[in-house]
Amino acid sequence: MVKILPKKNFNSEIFVPGDKSISHRAVILGAIAEGVTEIKGFLIGDDCLATINCLRQLGVKIDIGGDFVRVYGKGLHGLTAPKDVLYCGNSGTTMRLLCGLLAGQKFDSILDGDKSLQKRPMKRIIDPLRLMGAKIETTTPPIKIKRANLKGVYYKMPIHSAQVKSALILAGLYAEGETVIEELEKGATRNHTELMLNYMMENGILTGKKITVCGDFSSAAFFIVLGLLLAGEGITIRNVGVNPTRTGLLEALRKMGGDIKIQNTRNICGEDVGDILVKKSDLTGIEIDGKLVPKMIDEVPIFAVAAAFAKDTTIIKDAAELAVKESNRLQAMATELSKMGVSIASTNDSLTIIGTSNACQPVHGATLYSHNDHRIAMSLAIAATAANSESTLNGSEWIDVSFPNFLSLL
Ligand code: S3P
């Protein structure tokens, strides 16, 4: 539990921790590469540590020192049978990517997770993996994977999901023949697996490399919105990943009138990186739909906060995937923001938010609950900072999943 006091203005220059998606991929690909992979800027958060623990159980030696991680790659066929259940904690990325990695191994394994992860949909990866010949005995966690020989497939994905795509890419490395994955819409979901594979491939062999992980755009997102609401002279967030498959939020916020600039863009290990400059702006509600949602899939909760402080109404459509994240994020944001006096309604795939900037009642403090979801907790902490009275946030410890120093930075 934390108490959050309102703030009227701030200016700052910050760094956010390493990208969660890229950190997962760096240790997974490092584990099956030839030679050592050295990772700088690794996200030491609960989710990525769950991936490291699973890989260690698969016989991979991994050293951690601060945010520096060294992975002693075992080569494509060097993983060994785990002695115990592989525990993925709260991390959907760990469970789904490891299912892809383990489906074609020469040993059996079982993957499990916490109560939230046990409820999340896994058939989306198990169905296509079965088409590749995977022998997976269960469709909900604990997921029991039997040793199998995989064959390549042509798979047209029925949903937008980088986790499904990445699981199939990993399985494809073990399959006989070619695996082709067609996305619902080309380039709609994050492509970190593809970029990192290309970066690590040397003469057709996955090879240990030095990897520098950029700051996580999804973590920067909280401070981007706070900057738009409160940073009179501006906030600069340095060294953030700005891969276009991740930055749909910028497009949406700029459409609302947000003053956001990206400077010093460079390419690091295949990923676009830049410094993000944000200034306080008057925001006006907009409508966003299925074209943009996949590119801001993790930012919808914090986008809802921006909409709550804007003028006029914002409608977020085609967002059914949000209901099957760490919590039902549409419902969670509707419940919590309404406690703060915001008129907001959720359906199973949409959110409608009436902005308070031209309403008579400003957003006020309240006793809020994270719904045991890191991104809900941080979105609410930002709303509470911009509100006009004190708030209490219960369940703030979930923030450690992706951004352990968030509260001290805030
Ligand atoms: C992730 C992909 C997204 C995202 C999750 C991380 C990844 O999930 O929500 O936080 O690292 O591939 P989906 O691809 O299932 O939408």
XYZ file of all heavy atoms in Angstrom, residues 20-21 25 93 96 124 160-163 190 297-298 321 325 375, ligand 1:
157
model
N 11.273 -5.026 -21.131
C 10.899 -6.351 -20.631
C 10.905 -7.380 -21.766
O 11.490 -8.461 -21.634
C 9.507 -6.267 -19.973
C 8.993 -7.567 -19.404
C 7.947 -7.322 -18.354
C 6.558 -7.038 -18.918
N 5.931 -8.215 -19.551
N 10.273 -7.042 -22.878
C 10.192 -8.000 -23.995
C 11.587 -8.347 -24.517
O 11.891 -9.514 -24.796
C 9.385 -7.401 -25.149
O 8.052 -7.234 -24.768
N 13.775 -12.037 -24.419
C 14.306 -12.645 -25.653
C 15.818 -12.788 -25.594
O 16.382 -13.758 -26.106
C 13.877 -11.812 -26.866
C 12.385 -12.045 -27.188
C 11.765 -10.833 -27.815
N 10.399 -11.061 -28.283
C 9.304 -10.940 -27.515
N 9.411 -10.635 -26.226
N 8.099 -11.145 -28.034
N 4.686 -13.874 -20.996
C 5.750 -13.990 -22.001
C 6.612 -15.209 -21.702
O 6.968 -15.969 -22.617
C 6.622 -12.706 -22.013
O 5.760 -11.566 -22.061
C 7.543 -12.680 -23.207
N 4.509 -18.461 -22.559
C 4.196 -18.690 -23.979
C 5.470 -18.903 -24.792
O 5.537 -19.816 -25.622
C 3.368 -17.522 -24.517
C 1.997 -17.454 -23.806
C 1.018 -16.610 -24.550
N -0.298 -16.604 -23.907
C -0.841 -15.543 -23.304
N -0.177 -14.396 -23.250
N -2.039 -15.620 -22.764
N -4.182 -20.473 -27.643
C -3.672 -19.688 -28.769
C -2.258 -20.096 -29.189
O -1.878 -19.916 -30.334
C -3.724 -18.188 -28.425
C -2.970 -17.853 -27.159
C -3.010 -16.383 -26.799
N -4.358 -15.866 -26.618
C -4.666 -14.575 -26.600
N -3.722 -13.668 -26.743
N -5.905 -14.179 -26.430
N -3.994 -10.867 -33.044
C -2.748 -10.101 -32.943
C -2.029 -10.561 -31.694
O -2.533 -10.368 -30.581
C -3.064 -8.614 -32.753
C -3.561 -7.934 -33.981
N -2.813 -7.840 -35.123
C -4.712 -7.281 -34.235
C -3.482 -7.162 -36.038
N -4.646 -6.825 -35.522
N -0.863 -11.169 -31.805
C -0.112 -11.517 -30.605
C 1.352 -11.789 -30.933
O 1.685 -12.727 -31.650
C -0.719 -12.750 -29.917
O 0.164 -13.180 -28.896
N 2.211 -10.950 -30.352
C 3.657 -11.151 -30.533
C 4.117 -12.368 -29.747
O 5.121 -12.998 -30.106
C 4.409 -9.916 -30.062
N 3.396 -12.696 -28.694
C 3.795 -13.864 -27.909
C 3.544 -15.145 -28.701
O 4.373 -16.054 -28.707
C 3.040 -13.884 -26.581
C 3.457 -12.727 -25.680
C 2.798 -12.739 -24.326
O 1.853 -13.491 -24.090
N 3.277 -11.896 -23.429
N 4.775 -6.466 -31.975
C 6.215 -6.213 -31.757
C 7.080 -7.280 -32.427
O 6.734 -8.463 -32.410
C 6.494 -6.088 -30.264
C 6.244 -7.318 -29.454
C 6.248 -7.015 -27.960
N 5.073 -6.229 -27.598
C 4.890 -5.627 -26.427
N 5.809 -5.703 -25.499
N 3.793 -4.945 -26.179
N -0.676 -2.028 -27.086
C -1.446 -3.013 -26.328
C -1.228 -2.888 -24.816
O -2.161 -3.010 -24.032
C -1.142 -4.450 -26.854
C -2.083 -5.471 -26.262
C 0.298 -4.869 -26.638
C -3.437 -5.447 -26.843
N 0.008 -2.594 -24.400
C 0.277 -2.485 -22.962
C 0.061 -1.068 -22.434
O 0.156 -0.834 -21.229
C 1.716 -2.934 -22.663
C 1.882 -4.436 -22.868
O 0.871 -5.168 -22.816
O 3.021 -4.879 -23.093
N -8.390 -7.906 -26.392
C -7.183 -8.531 -25.817
C -6.859 -8.001 -24.413
O -6.230 -8.675 -23.614
C -5.982 -8.301 -26.740
C -5.889 -9.287 -27.876
C -5.636 -10.727 -27.413
O -4.692 -10.948 -26.656
O -6.417 -11.610 -27.799
N -5.337 -9.879 -20.152
C -3.966 -9.581 -19.711
C -3.847 -9.981 -18.226
O -4.650 -10.761 -17.728
C -3.647 -8.107 -19.942
C -3.570 -7.734 -21.407
C -2.369 -8.364 -22.072
C -2.282 -8.052 -23.554
N -1.233 -8.807 -24.233
N 0.660 -2.913 -14.500
C 0.374 -1.739 -15.333
C -0.843 -0.963 -14.826
O -0.930 0.251 -15.001
C 0.199 -2.136 -16.798
C 1.491 -2.706 -17.370
C 1.569 -2.659 -18.859
N 2.561 -3.622 -19.330
C 3.877 -3.439 -19.314
N 4.378 -2.315 -18.850
N 4.702 -4.366 -19.753
C 4.683 -9.245 -25.218
C 3.625 -9.171 -26.081
C 2.316 -8.613 -25.718
C 2.394 -7.766 -24.459
C 3.207 -8.407 -23.381
C 4.618 -8.696 -23.862
C 5.932 -9.863 -25.685
O 1.398 -9.674 -25.516
O 1.107 -7.493 -23.983
O 3.305 -7.535 -22.253
O 6.977 -9.687 -25.037
O 5.895 -10.527 -26.722
P 0.561 -10.303 -26.749
O 1.509 -10.477 -27.846
O 0.026 -11.607 -26.272
O -0.516 -9.314 -27.035
